[in-house]
Amino acid sequence: MASSLTKDSVRPGTPGTGKTFFGHPRGLATLFMTEMWERFSYYGMRALLPLYLVAPGGLNLNAGTATAIYSVYVSLVYLLAMPGGWFGDRVWGPRRTVAVAGVVIMLGHLTLALPSSGTFYAGLGLVAIGSGLLKANISTMVGHLYDGPDDPRRDGGFTVFYMGINLGAFAAPLIIGTIGENVNWHFGFALAALGMALGLVQFLLGSRHLADRSSVVPKPLSAEEKAGTLRKAAIWAGIAVVAYAVIGFSGHYTLNWILVPLTLLGVIIPVMVLVNIKRDKELDRPEQSKMSAYIWFFVAAAVFWMIYDQGGSTLSIFADSSADNTVLGWEFPVSWYQSVNPVLIMALAPVFAWFWLALNKRGKEPSTIVKFASGLVLVGASFFLFLAPLSIADGGHKAAAMWLVAIYFVQTVGELLLSPVGLSVTTKMAPAKYASQMMGVWFLAVTAGDATTGLLSIAGVDLNKTGIVAMEATLAVVAGVAVWMYRKRVKELMGDVR
């Protein structure tokens, strides 16, 4: 990264030295590298997870249980982003929270690397907690590098930062996946720990280039609030310990005693958060109207992520058992499919940005609602496409790898239509009172979608059956068409937001 640093003029108050990173504050290099290595560890482990769960040399679970565990894990990562942001705002400040998160994530991967099924779930829990702590706070620190929201470099800085996410996500399955599948599962998890360790070292060495306010606790807890929070946490922890001790000693404990409560929380908490915001009497009429419109987007996004995130579970397990994972006669690890999405994102995102700009100049850029509806229809279309390899496998043949690549391609195009729009509309429609919390609310749509997948799997629904896949595909397409049909009504509710 040193070759990318050049002397440049720096606006007064910009953190760091006189050097810049691609024209941005030097601290962006620190956060870029930290996020790249953290995503390397996260996506590498995630690519291995469903395969390890079903492998005879792994935990040797059935596909339904493996999908449930994977879905619960991913939903927890996004669910914990809200309390993670709270810790940054009220307890430690963003910089210390990210440092602690890095240590927790590294310990989680090291725990996964232990050859014991008993410690495996503890490792997953640690990685989920650490990821939740890191997710919101590192993005906050990127924003701290700039002179307020009107700094012209701000959007470009986040674009560079998100490139780090996709670089880590692209490289991880190729390296960690290959080691885990071909050498040893636990070596793969250990390699994920090494990735996080490199990110943590990079963060600690480069933290002097970050903004001073990244070390500040914006709204510290008072002594009374701290005591009350600790008391509530202790009570709930005590209830959980006693309940699970009774279940365990009575001989009734099964994995579902963990999975079912977590999946239910993943559905109930997003609903409760939206209801509480919507019922807040302090919101004025325009804010209430915007929240009514936002619920449309939220529900549609939950349907999108329910299908999209099965690319790492349902599709991966199908590829492991029923796909011909070869290119020109050369066999590749199943986990490599997880590199398709990030490389497509890096290739297509600039094309989409140029395309929208070109249409905007002609006054023909689609509205937010049309983009959102199109993303939903495309993710549904990807599962209609999935019916072809499923039919091939039902006929006793191996499905070609390009079927799966085509599915990931359609899903990626859908993501580029829906995800950036969702992030944008979340910030635009947020009530002033909840401005800092609404990004966490958007992440809860991912939680709700993945938790729904987990509930289906726990209920014994085989997500690799043509009937279920067709039903999910139809649900997404119908949701997309519904959003489009009611676009005028949603536009009215959105008020001045476009």
Side-chain angles (χ1 to χ4, degrees):
M1 288 301 168
S3 61
S4 301
L5 299 174
T6 58
K7 284 286 184 180
D8 201 352
S9 59
V10 182
R11 295 174 65 178
T14 299
T17 66
K19 292 183 177 181
T20 65
F21 178 68
F22 293 115
H24 292 274
R26 174 64 179 87
L28 185 61
T30 297
L31 299 176
F32 175 97
M33 294 292 288
T34 303
E35 181 73 350
M36 185 189 76
W37 282 116
E38 188 274 330
R39 292 291 90 181
F40 174 85
S41 69
Y42 174 77
Y43 282 105
M45 185 277 283
R46 209 172 95 161
L48 284 182
L49 180 57
L51 305 175
Y52 173 74
L53 292 173
V54 299
L59 295 189
N60 200 22
L61 302 173
N62 61 58
T65 303
T67 300
I69 292 171
Y70 177 93
S71 301
V72 168
Y73 165 70
V74 175
S75 71
L76 272 179
V77 168
Y78 287 92
L79 179 63
L80 292 170
M82 283 197 78
W86 180 86
F87 263 89
D89 285 343
R90 307 298 308 274
V91 184
W92 290 327
R95 188 184 300 187
R96 184 180 295 180
T97 304
V98 168
V100 171
V103 173
V104 173
I105 291 169
M106 184 176 65
L107 291 175
H109 287 303
L110 287 172
T111 305
L112 291 173
L114 298 174
S116 167
S117 59
T119 57
F120 182 80
Y121 299 107
L124 279 183
L126 286 172
V127 176
I129 291 169
S131 297
L133 287 170
L134 185 140
K135 198 165 189 63
N137 289 287
I138 196 165
S139 296
T140 298
M141 287 194 292
V142 174
H144 287 168
L145 294 173
Y146 299 95
D147 301 331
D150 295 328
D151 191 322
R153 302 167 300 167
R154 185 183 177 92
D155 287 351
F158 273 98
T159 300
V160 173
F161 176 71
Y162 288 127
M163 285 297 290
I165 294 175
N166 285 294
L167 280 173
F170 168 68
L174 303 180
I175 299 172
I176 294 176
T178 301
I179 297 297
E181 286 190 64
N182 295 338
V183 181
N184 182 281
W185 296 108
H186 298 287
F187 284 173
F189 296 131
L191 194 56
L194 176 61
M196 188 63 253
L198 291 172
L200 185 59
V201 169
Q202 165 72 25
F203 180 76
L204 295 175
L205 291 178
S207 60
R208 66 184 184 278
H209 300 295
L210 301 176
D212 291 338
R213 60 182 175 144
S214 292
S215 300
V216 175
V217 182
K219 294 184 289 185
L221 292 172
S222 66
E224 290 181 3
E225 288 176 318
K226 196 174 292 185
T229 301
L230 288 172
R231 184 169 58 252
K232 290 176 184 177
I235 290 171
W236 282 109
I239 291 172
V241 168
V242 171
Y244 281 103
V246 170
I247 294 166
F249 286 121
S250 66
H252 292 94
Y253 178 80
T254 66
L255 189 58
N256 280 350
W257 279 104
I258 291 288
L259 294 179
V260 172
L262 290 177
T263 49
L264 288 174
L265 284 174
V267 175
I268 293 169
I269 290 176
V271 173
M272 288 177 59
V273 169
L274 286 174
V275 168
N276 284 338
I277 295 176
K278 189 71 180 69
R279 294 176 63 184
D280 191 332
K281 303 293 186 185
E282 294 183 19
L283 302 188
D284 58 29
R285 187 181 295 272
E287 288 177 325
Q288 286 283 0
S289 179
K290 288 174 184 176
M291 280 307 301
S292 296
Y294 187 74
I295 289 171
W296 277 80
F297 290 108
F298 185 93
V299 173
V303 173
F304 178 90
W305 295 116
M306 179 185 74
I307 295 176
Y308 179 90
D309 274 348
Q310 287 184 59
S313 54
T314 304
L315 286 177
S316 188
I317 292 171
F318 173 83
D320 188 40
S321 62
S322 305
D324 178 18
N325 305 309
T326 60
V327 175
L328 300 175
W330 175 73
E331 187 173 0
F332 58 89
V334 175
S335 54
W336 282 24
Y337 284 111
Q338 302 309 308
S339 288
V340 174
N341 171 259
V343 76
L344 287 174
I345 289 286
M346 288 187 285
L348 295 177
V351 176
F352 270 73
W354 169 84
F355 185 60
W356 298 139
L357 188 60
L359 288 179
N360 184 267
K361 288 179 179 178
R362 294 174 174 83
K364 296 181 178 179
E365 183 180 0
S367 68
T368 292
I369 299 170
V370 171
K371 290 178 184 176
F372 216 88
S374 300
L376 270 170
V377 170
L378 280 172
V379 83
S382 76
F383 260 36
F384 279 125
L385 188 59
F386 187 24
L387 294 175
L390 281 173
S391 298
I392 293 169
D394 285 343
H397 303 287
K398 292 281 188 179
M402 291 311 296
W403 280 113
L404 294 172
V405 172
I407 294 168
Y408 287 119
F409 174 81
V410 175
Q411 289 186 346
T412 301
V413 174
E415 179 189 3
L416 286 168
L417 284 166
L418 182 139
S419 187
V421 171
L423 290 167
S424 177
V425 83
T426 296
T427 58
K428 290 177 181 177
M429 296 170 66
K433 181 179 178 179
Y434 297 97
S436 61
Q437 299 177 41
M438 283 300 287
M439 199 55 69
V441 174
W442 169 250
F443 288 144
L444 289 181
V446 186
T447 296
D450 282 307
T452 302
T453 300
L455 283 174
L456 290 172
S457 299
I458 292 169
V461 176
D462 187 347
L463 297 173
N464 266 319
K465 289 295 184 183
T466 54
I468 299 300
V469 170
M471 184 180 71
E472 290 184 86
T474 303
L475 174 64
V477 171
V478 168
V481 171
V483 170
W484 182 81
M485 287 178 64
Y486 285 90
R487 64 192 182 281
K488 291 183 179 179
R489 173 58 180 155
V490 177
K491 279 183 180 178
E492 290 173 4
L493 291 171
M494 290 171 70
D496 56 356
V497 175
R498 290 292 177 263

